[in-house]
Amino acid sequence: MKKLIALILAMLLVFMLPACSNPVSTTTENDANTEQQAQSTAAETDKEETTTIRFVHFRSEDSQIYQTINKMFEETYPDIKIEMDVESADQTEYYAVLKTKLQGNADAVDVYAIHVGPRLQEFAAAGYAMDLTDTAASAYYYEDFLETARIGDAIYGLPQAYNSYVIFYNKDIFAKYGLEVPSTWDEMKAVCNTLSENGEGTIASGFGENWVFDLQIDGLLSSYYDGDPYVLEKLESGALQWTDSGVLNAYTDLQKMGQDGFFMNGSTGTSYEASIALFTQGKAAMLNTGSWSVGGVLEANQEFNMGFFILPNSQNDYYLIQDVGQSLAVNPNSTKQAAAMQYVAFLSSPEIAQLYTDATMQTSTVMNVVSESAENNALNALIDEFPAVRSASAFVTNPEFADLYLEIAARAFNGEDIASLMAEAQSITNDLLAG
């Protein structure tokens, strides 16, 4: 009997063991699942805590230095990542794309580059530019430069650089033909004739983009109005008529520059970036640009031997046109304003501004930041030698008028009758004034 009971108990134990082992196994699997879920949740939390800032600009030549700077920022602020979109350097295309992005998702653009003047006026009026007055970022800049981005009582942009409109020239090509830097219209014409006769390109220019005409017409207008930087504003407001002799002379000179062979054939179909390539590749002896392109030229060819001069008007008057370059703006509709402002303050700090100006060879607007180079010294020599005046385009407020004076410049360059163009421009200006 005892043997029978022992046998029954043994059998019961055999059947009970699997039943008893199941809870232990289940608990282990649950613990594993719980741990996996916890890890997944932690990863999601980390992902949610990482803020991505989208920075949009048009300077492809700055991409490399920005990649370096952005990496430094992300190391300093590991919870913020930077996405950089480099759009077209064509200002018409760039601002069309930028406006579309700003009108869409609020976080499609957090920080962006913009020009002071009519563009900044337009974007600020539309509610796309944040008031940056008295911010940590704005404290780094010279007050005079900040004033260029003031609209009413507020600062809406942080100008990164201060530039000059100049003609670059290839010193080696000039030396090859014994050419001197031209100081008069006739000398400029003679230089271009010599270059053309020897199969060399003259001035490369991206006139395929209308904004490039501002590099000429701005200086020409200023020279006929004794360096008055408000000449375009006066045209826009009706205080000055398009039929005035100074305006006629400026646009006539632009046309004569084309007729006298100053610029390479095909310039009106050449993009701005393509014009720089023609120069750096030695296919053009000169380049129509500004000091903002020094870094881009040297990046393409570190051994490039270049100098700078100012293109005179037909009366041999000189004015060195200067103005701030691209400015930093912040989208006030962004949901990541705090992170965006940290990024803008980082870009504006003297340490980072020094890295930027050394890489791009632009004159910094940040206090106590100076770039030393042979190119900057040559540009500073021009500033010391010739009267400098601020770009007249900076004081234009209506983007439609800005498009108008550049369109008229393009058509004048292409040979249209100047008197007819002036009459047409005045009629359109009157319509703009009438609302």
Side-chain angles (χ1 to χ4, degrees):
M1 185 66 177
K2 288 181 180 179
K3 289 183 179 180
L4 179 60
I5 292 172
L7 180 61
I8 292 171
L9 288 172
M11 292 176 65
L12 285 172
L13 284 170
V14 170
F15 285 110
M16 289 173 65
L17 281 173
C20 292
S21 65
N22 280 339
V24 175
S25 175
T26 302
T27 300
T28 303
E29 290 174 7
N30 286 341
D31 288 345
N33 289 337
T34 300
E35 184 178 352
Q36 187 176 7
Q37 289 172 359
Q39 291 174 348
S40 177
T41 301
E44 288 297 319
T45 300
D46 288 343
K47 185 177 180 181
E48 290 174 3
E49 290 177 353
T50 300
T51 302
T52 298
I53 296 299
R54 292 178 173 83
F55 174 41
V56 182
H57 68 92
F58 51 82
R59 284 181 55 84
S60 59
E61 60 268 51
D62 291 356
S63 295
Q64 187 172 348
I65 184 59
Y66 269 130
Q67 287 170 6
T68 299
I69 291 172
N70 289 346
K71 184 178 179 181
M72 293 172 64
F73 177 81
E74 291 173 349
E75 289 172 351
T76 305
Y77 300 97
D79 58 335
I80 305 176
K81 303 299 178 188
I82 306 299
E83 268 187 18
M84 182 172 67
D85 293 337
V86 184
E87 302 293 346
S88 171
D90 182 317
Q91 291 187 20
T92 301
E93 292 180 13
Y94 173 72
Y95 286 112
V97 170
L98 179 60
K99 189 181 297 183
T100 298
K101 288 186 174 186
L102 287 166
Q103 289 172 337
N105 185 340
D107 293 327
V109 182
D110 301 296
V111 179
Y112 60 94
I114 192 167
H115 293 91
V116 299
R119 292 299 184 183
L120 185 59
Q121 295 261 1
E122 177 187 7
F123 278 67
Y128 298 140
M130 180 177 169
D131 181 354
L132 300 175
T133 311
D134 297 327
T135 59
S138 66
Y140 291 118
Y141 294 84
Y142 288 107
E143 187 64 30
D144 286 349
F145 292 117
L146 287 178
E147 285 300 312
T148 65
R150 180 179 293 281
I151 302 172
D153 296 327
I155 300 294
Y156 289 98
L158 303 175
Q160 282 188 287
Y162 195 67
N163 296 302
S164 303
Y165 296 3
V166 291
I167 300 295
F168 290 22
Y169 73 97
N170 186 319
K171 289 185 176 181
D172 294 334
I173 292 179
F174 269 50
K176 181 179 179 180
Y177 300 104
L179 300 174
E180 299 290 335
V181 172
S183 59
T184 67
W185 185 284
D186 287 340
E187 289 176 2
M188 182 66 199
K189 189 174 179 179
V191 164
C192 291
N193 286 340
T194 298
L195 291 169
S196 297
E197 289 168 1
N198 287 279
E200 302 282 1
T202 52
I203 304 178
S205 185
F207 286 149
E209 301 170 24
N210 274 4
W211 72 267
V212 179
F213 281 105
D214 192 55
L215 303 178
Q216 270 64 55
I217 202 62
D218 204 321
L220 288 169
L221 283 168
S222 293
S223 68
Y224 279 109
Y225 289 91
D226 297 322
D228 183 0
Y230 298 100
V231 59
L232 281 172
E233 181 190 53
K234 291 175 180 177
L235 272 177
E236 179 185 17
S237 67
L240 180 67
Q241 298 293 297
W242 282 85
T243 51
D244 191 77
S245 61
V247 181
L248 282 165
N249 288 336
Y251 279 88
T252 299
D253 276 0
L254 179 63
Q255 188 173 83
K256 288 171 63 179
M257 286 177 178
Q259 293 170 344
D260 287 354
F262 288 12
F263 297 94
M264 291 177 66
N265 291 334
S267 290
T268 54
T270 302
S271 71
Y272 177 68
E273 290 188 356
S275 71
I276 295 176
L278 287 169
F279 182 63
T280 58
Q281 293 166 9
K283 297 177 181 178
M286 295 167 284
L287 175 64
N288 175 35
T289 186
S291 56
W292 58 83
S293 292
V294 171
V297 170
L298 292 178
E299 183 179 353
N301 183 350
Q302 286 294 326
E303 303 302 319
F304 205 95
N305 187 16
M306 63 181 163
F308 316 96
F309 67 91
I310 307 170
L311 203 60
N313 69 1
S314 62
Q315 306 304 307
N316 302 322
D317 287 334
Y318 288 88
Y319 279 91
L320 178 62
I321 305 301
Q322 294 186 308
D323 209 357
V324 295
Q326 73 285 350
S327 297
L328 297 171
V330 177
N331 180 8
N333 303 311
S334 167
T335 62
K336 299 166 287 186
Q337 281 187 20
M341 287 306 301
Q342 279 185 296
Y343 180 55
V344 170
F346 187 81
L347 293 179
S348 304
S349 66
E351 177 190 1
I352 300 305
Q354 187 71 62
L355 288 176
Y356 180 78
T357 196
D358 286 344
T360 64
M361 299 291 183
Q362 298 183 90
T363 304
S364 181
T365 54
V366 172
M367 289 186 285
N368 303 317
V369 174
V370 178
S371 180
E372 292 291 344
S373 70
E375 290 77 19
N376 274 337
N377 290 339
L379 287 164
N380 288 334
L382 288 181
I383 295 171
D384 292 337
E385 185 177 356
F386 298 103
V389 62
R390 191 174 170 201
S391 167
S393 60
F395 299 98
V396 173
T397 59
N398 187 337
E400 291 183 73
F401 182 82
D403 290 339
L404 172 64
Y405 83 81
L406 292 172
E407 179 192 343
I408 296 298
R411 291 168 61 186
F413 185 82
N414 284 324
E416 290 192 38
D417 180 69
I418 298 297
S420 298
L421 281 174
M422 297 301 101
E424 180 182 344
Q426 188 60 60
S427 176
I428 295 172
T429 300
N430 292 340
D431 289 342
L432 290 174
L433 288 170

